[in-house]
């Protein structure tokens, strides 16, 4: 049975979850954790999510949920500060 998809109303991508938490420590430092789940709804947005620059951030989990229920983990390359999400297709859901 196929998983139900949301109506995207012409949008190229839809954020299903965009959650940010900040943790404060006694030494006055802090840690920010962001959880994004985005449905890719058009061909135009696939290239944007195919290679994701980290910009100094650390990805705890990055994967693509496929419409058949399978998923693919992001690929990391030594010496490069980005993630590759392989074989993206319209309807895929990206989790970061």
């Amino acid at each position: 049975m196929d998983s139900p998809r949301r109506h995207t109303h012409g949008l190229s991508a839809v954020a299903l979850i965009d959650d940010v938490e900040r943790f404060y420590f006694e030494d006055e430092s802090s840690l920010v954790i962001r959880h994004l789940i985005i449905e890719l709804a058009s061909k135009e947005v696939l290239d944007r999510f195919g290679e994701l620059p980290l910009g100094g951030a650390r990805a705890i989990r990055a994967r693509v949920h496929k419409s058949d229920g399978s998923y693919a983990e992001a690929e990391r390359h030594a010496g490069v500060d980005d993630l590759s999400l392989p074989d993206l297709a319209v309807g895929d859901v990206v989790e970061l």
Side-chain angles (χ1 to χ4, degrees):
M1 181 174 164
D2 290 334
S3 62
R5 292 291 176 192
R6 293 136 210 82
H7 298 283
T8 57
H9 302 289
L11 299 172
S12 58
V14 177
L16 306 175
I17 292 177
D18 186 353
D19 184 45
V20 178
E21 294 184 48
R22 180 178 294 263
F23 299 92
Y24 295 94
F25 302 101
E26 289 181 12
D27 67 357
E28 297 184 13
S29 66
S30 65
L31 171 70
V32 175
I33 297 178
R34 184 171 188 186
H35 188 202
L36 287 170
I37 298 180
I38 302 167
E39 182 176 353
L40 307 179
S42 74
K43 290 180 183 178
E44 294 77 25
V45 78
L46 299 181
D47 286 338
R48 180 176 174 200
F49 284 90
E51 297 289 327
L52 297 172
L54 293 177
R58 191 173 107 198
I60 296 171
R61 164 167 281 164
R63 62 183 175 177
V64 179
H65 299 264
K66 306 300 269 179
S67 60
D68 66 0
S70 65
Y71 65 90
E73 295 290 336
E75 298 171 356
R76 297 170 191 244
H77 306 286
V80 180
D81 193 25
D82 68 3
L83 296 174
S84 297
L85 298 174
D87 304 318
L88 292 178
V90 172
D92 286 352
V93 176
V94 174
E95 179 180 11
L96 304 168

